[in-house]
Amino acid sequence: MCRMIYTRSAALLYLLICTLITMKANGFFVGITYVENSIAKGAVCLDGSPPAYHMDKGFGSGINNWLVHLEGGGWCSNVTICLAHKDTRHGSSKKMAKQIAFSGILSNKENFNPDFYNWNKIKVRYCDGSSFTGDVEAIDPANNLYLRGERVWQAVMEDLLEKGMKNAKYALLSGCSSGGLAAILHCDRFRELLPVDAKVKCLSDAGYFINAKDVSGKDHIQAIYNDVVTTHQSAKNLPVSCTSRTEPSLCFFPQNVVQDMYTQLFILNAAYDSWQIKNTLAPGVADPHGHWHYCKLDIKNCSSSQLQTMQGFRSEFLNSVGELMSSSMKGMFINSCYAHCQSEVQETWLRADSPVLDKTPIAKAVGDWYNDRSDFKKIDCPYPCDGSCHNRVFGPNEYSQV
């Protein structure tokens, strides 16, 4: 056990040691690959640097199997916010870590990731702020801001196809948060890139953002998405099945897209998704006096009236996925945790104490669904019934930002 150390330097050293021990047991580090030739195509991050990804090559029976995982990181909905992202890892590959840890669905250990451990596993870094949908040709010389998410998607896919993905026999496109949304928006197009006889499916982890009003009664998240689509000129790159019948910004909500998808999709989401509670239901602009502050940090701090409001949010979420329960094309693991992204971390993906539904951990549910061992569709009972949850507890300054 890692115990409390009271001096600052000793605590930092001990934290580093504990982290390395944990990594040795549960994960491994993978180096970065820059798609340098993409610059000539204008397929670049917000600052003009090349897109990047991390790849762990497959082995044994998984040599022709591909898992492509899209990183999350919110959105930048206007030039000011995009300029702020530009100097971070979510806007520049120059700011990205040269190595990152692979665990959970990206683990290379069979006991931690039994169905995908020996596949080619790629984590595509997120540096465009539009869930890989933007494509603005003009560059304002006053800020040199590149809004080219769609081109980044294409450049990375072309690079992976050349590295062997064109021969894929099995493939899974997955993603977390805004990357989970991107996995939905690009799912059918990903299917079209691969051989017709390949088995291709998609997984969205914490990417099922719903069109719910905030606690003040305003359409806050809808306004954000409208600004994203407008700023990045994303409309032309969103699913035509959706944009042909409604305004493009509404096509950022999966509930308006998934019914028309022809590629099989698995939805992994917490009904009380911590990002959506903090940013969709109770964003700061809707709570100027901070009544939701401590509730958003830790669900155990929520008052009875706040929990009632969150139960209403859960009902809206379940209504948005309800029609999918009868679809043979969809799988589902909707637990009642206060969490966001449960596939990338070993403790929630597959461990002795991982979250379960019907005694089934997430890794087994996804694996059984992908390999057609079961048609997994489970929805949890309301909070606080699920004792297997790993509910997030945030620090006082730890807030996700759009």
Side-chain angles (χ1 to χ4, degrees), residues 35 37-38 41 43 53 66 150-166 190 193-194:
V35 189
N37 63 2
S38 69
K41 306 171 187 175
Y53 60 84
W66 293 74
E150 171 64 23
R151 295 192 202 185
V152 167
W153 160 264
Q154 293 178 5
V156 172
M157 291 304 109
E158 289 171 5
D159 201 61
L160 294 177
L161 288 167
E162 284 301 308
K163 288 185 175 176
M165 195 170 73
K166 62 185 176 183
F190 181 72
L193 293 172
L194 302 177

Side-chain angles (χ1 to χ4, degrees), residues 211 270 303 317 370 372 399:
N211 191 3
S303 67
F317 185 93
Y370 183 87
D372 302 315
Y399 278 99

Side-chain angles (χ1 to χ4, degrees), residues 10 27 86 93 100 134 151 160 178 187 224 312 330 355 364 385 388:
K86 179 181 174 182
S93 59
I100 62 171
R151 295 192 202 185
L160 294 177
S178 53
C187 181
I224 293 292
K330 306 295 187 293
K364 179 169 172 52
C385 71
S388 71

Side-chain angles (χ1 to χ4, degrees), residues 28 56-65 106-110 113 116-121:
F28 63 106
D56 178 47
K57 290 185 178 180
F59 58 92
S61 61
I63 197 167
N64 289 317
N65 303 341
L106 298 174
S107 174
N108 65 353
K109 293 182 172 63
E110 186 174 7
N113 189 25
F116 308 109
Y117 73 98
N118 63 350
W119 287 31
N120 295 285
K121 295 176 294 296

Side-chain angles (χ1 to χ4, degrees), residues 84-106:
H85 282 215
K86 179 181 174 182
D87 294 323
T88 73
R89 64 186 175 90
H90 291 312
S92 172
S93 59
K94 298 175 184 177
K95 304 290 185 177
M96 295 173 184
K98 299 297 187 292
Q99 291 190 324
I100 62 171
F102 271 24
S103 62
I105 196 172
L106 298 174

Side-chain angles (χ1 to χ4, degrees), residues 280-306:
T280 298
L281 181 64
V285 294
D287 181 36
H289 300 294
H291 297 305
W292 281 80
H293 177 76
Y294 292 105
C295 173
K296 292 189 292 184
L297 296 180
D298 185 345
I299 194 172
K300 292 180 180 178
N301 295 332
C302 298
S303 67
S304 58
S305 63
Q306 287 170 332

Side-chain angles (χ1 to χ4, degrees), residues 118-147:
N118 63 350
W119 287 31
N120 295 285
K121 295 176 294 296
I122 297 94
K123 184 168 186 176
V124 181
R125 303 303 298 271
Y126 182 49
C127 66
D128 68 273
S130 70
S131 287
F132 301 95
T133 64
D135 192 359
V136 178
E137 180 65 33
I139 306 299
D140 185 345
N143 55 42
N144 287 322
L145 189 65
Y146 295 81
L147 304 173

